[in-house]
Amino acid sequence: MTDSLAVRGGRVIDPANGIDAAGDVLIADGRIAAVGNDAGKGASRAIDATGLIVCPGFVDIHAHLREPGFEHKETIATGTQAAARGGFTTVCCMPNTEPPIDSAAVVEYVVRTARTEGAVRVLPIGCVTKGRKGEALAELAELAQAGVVAFSDDGDPVSDPHLLRRALEYARPFGLPLIGHCEDRALATGGVMHEGWVAARLGLRGVPAAAEESAVARDIALAALTGARLHVAHVSTAGAVELIRRARASGLPVTAEVTPHHLTLTHEAVLVGSGESPGWLAYDTNAKVNPPLRTREDAEACLQGLLDGTIDCVATDHAPHAVEDKLCEFDLAAPGISGLETALALCLTLVHDGRLGLPMVIEKLTVGPVRALGLHGDRVGAGLKPAPTTGSLEGLGTLSVGAPGDVAVIDPGAEWVIEPERFASKGKNTPLAGRTLRGRVVATVYEGRVVYQA
Ligand code: DOR
C-alpha cells in the first residue's frame, strides 16, 4: 500500500485553483493526490482539520539562514524548523553567509546540509558579485548550473550601475531573476532608522525614503534596458510602490515583495517608554531593520500595492541575530527581525481589521511568491539542470494534483502571546515580544510528512 496522508474536514483554500470550500486533501507518495469531499477516505494517516483552514505550504522567497559562517545566529536546521512552525515548506535563502554563496561549492554545501538537516525545502539564492563586494560579477553561469533560483547581493545594493547592467544581461538567458536590495548608500549612509519625527526625537540619523526610491527607479531603468527579470526585495515606501506600479503597467518584467513588518508596523515601533514617562525616551533595537520601518502612509501604500497586484507576495526577510547583536547602542545594532514564526499572525492582523481577505493573504504566501521568482519554471528548457530538490517543483504553492505534498493547517482565530524564547529560530530578535496576536499554524506537512504539529 502506498503511504498516504489525509488532511480531513477543513476549509480548503487554494487560490491558484480558485478553491475555497470544505473538503479533504489527500497526499500520496509525497505529492498532492486529490482534493475534495471524501478525498481523504482510506488514507493510511490523517490529520483532523475540522474548524481549521487547509492551504498550500507557504513559500518564503527571502530568508537569511546564516549557514555557513554565522551558525551562532541560525543554522539551516534551526531556520527550517522555524519555517515549519510558521507554516513555510519552502525557503529561499539569501547568500550573505561566510563564505557567501558565490560558488558552486557553497551552493552544494547548502543543498546537502538542507537535505540532511533541513525540516523543509531550501532553495539557495546566489550572489550577484564575487564575495558580495560589489566589484566584479560572480560566476553566474556556474551558480545557475549548481541550482540557485535567483541572484542577489541582498543586505547590500549593487551600487555600480554598470555592474548591475552586466549582471542583468548575464542572468537573462537563464531566465533567473535578479533580486534587488534597492538602497542608495550615498543617501542612506549613517542612517539607522526612517528619516522622520521619531528619528529626530531620538537623535538618530535617518534614512530618507528617497534612498529606496532612487535605487528602485535606477534598477527599473536597467531592467528596461536589458529585458531581464528584476524582483524588488522588501519594498518599504509609497514612492517605491508607485514606481513599480508604473513599471508593471508599461509591461516590464518587474516583480516585488513586502515583508509582514513593513505592512503592519511603523517607525514608531522603534520608540519605547515615552508614553508612561514623558521626557524619558528609549529605543528598541529589535525594531531596527533594513529598510527601516516607515510611516503609516508607507505601510498603507504597501497594502494597496498588495491588493492591486503591484506587489506579488509577502516575504519574511527573516533575519535572525544573536542577543549581543541587539543588546547595544542603536547605531551599532545589527538590522533585522526574526520573522518566520510570526509572519502569518502579522498578516492576519490585516484580515482581522477587515482590510485584507484571508484567501488573498494565502495567495501572497503561496502561489504569489512562486510566480514572482518563477520557482515552478522550466529550468531544463533554459539549459539548466533541474532545481536540487527531491521532486519536481511543478505546482509548487498550489494544491493541484501532482504538486509537492506541502500543506499548512491554520487556526486563524487562535490567540497567542509572542514569546521569542520559545521560537525554534536561534534569532529571538523581534519587536513583537509580549504582544498578543491572533492566528496560528496548527500543523505543517512537507512532502507528505508532518514536520510540525502544535
Ligand atoms: O534588516 C536586514 N537584515 N536587512 C537586510 O537587507 C539584511 C538582513 C540581514 O542579513 O541581517
Side-chain angles (χ1 to χ4, degrees), residues 241-307:
V241 175
E242 187 51 31
L243 287 162
I244 295 161
R245 183 176 286 123
R246 280 192 236 148
R248 293 177 74 119
S250 62
L252 291 175
V254 175
T255 55
E257 70 190 32
V258 62
T259 70
H261 45 273
H262 288 107
L263 273 175
T264 57
L265 304 176
T266 69
H267 59 152
E268 283 148 67
V270 173
L271 195 58
V272 289
S274 60
E276 312 83 63
S277 349
W280 181 79
L281 292 176
Y283 46 65
D284 181 6
T285 55
N286 286 313
K288 179 176 177 182
V289 62
N290 186 19
L293 299 173
R294 301 211 184 255
T295 66
R296 177 56 46 212
E297 292 71 36
D298 290 309
E300 186 59 38
C302 289
L303 177 61
Q304 287 310 317
L306 208 57
L307 284 166

Side-chain angles (χ1 to χ4, degrees), residues 62-66 73 94 96 132 153-156 181 183 185 233-234 261-262 288-292 317-321 326 334-337 429:
H62 189 148
H64 299 272
L65 296 182
R66 305 298 190 210
K73 294 179 192 255
M94 281 295 174
N96 59 340
R132 299 181 62 258
D153 274 1
D154 180 71
D156 291 302
H181 171 112
E183 176 184 358
R185 277 284 157 85
H234 43 51
H261 45 273
H262 288 107
K288 179 176 177 182
V289 62
N290 186 19
D317 196 1
H318 176 72
H321 287 293
K326 290 289 193 179
I337 292 175
N429 48 303

Side-chain angles (χ1 to χ4, degrees), residues 43-100:
S44 50
R45 296 171 293 133
I47 293 176
D48 178 13
T50 309
L52 304 172
I53 306 292
V54 180
C55 61
F58 302 152
V59 177
D60 188 10
I61 59 171
H62 189 148
H64 299 272
L65 296 182
R66 305 298 190 210
E67 188 178 354
F70 302 103
E71 289 85 352
H72 62 296
K73 294 179 192 255
E74 192 79 289
T75 62
I76 289 170
T78 59
T80 54
Q81 282 157 23
R85 282 191 180 218
F88 291 91
T89 47
T90 302
V91 175
C92 300
C93 61
M94 281 295 174
N96 59 340
T97 50
E98 189 50 50

Side-chain angles (χ1 to χ4, degrees), residues 118-146:
V120 301
R121 180 180 300 109
V122 173
L123 300 172
I125 294 168
C127 293
V128 178
T129 69
K130 279 199 178 107
R132 299 181 62 258
K133 290 193 168 77
E135 290 162 5
L137 282 190
E139 300 290 346
L140 302 190
E142 172 186 317
L143 290 167
Q145 278 303 349

Side-chain angles (χ1 to χ4, degrees), residues 354-380:
R355 284 152 25 96
L356 200 55
L358 180 59
M360 164 95 46
V361 168
I362 292 171
E363 179 190 327
K364 300 291 183 180
L365 285 167
T366 57
V367 71
V370 169
R371 287 186 184 143
L373 287 199
L375 297 177
H376 57 322
D378 179 15
R379 294 177 66 94
V380 179

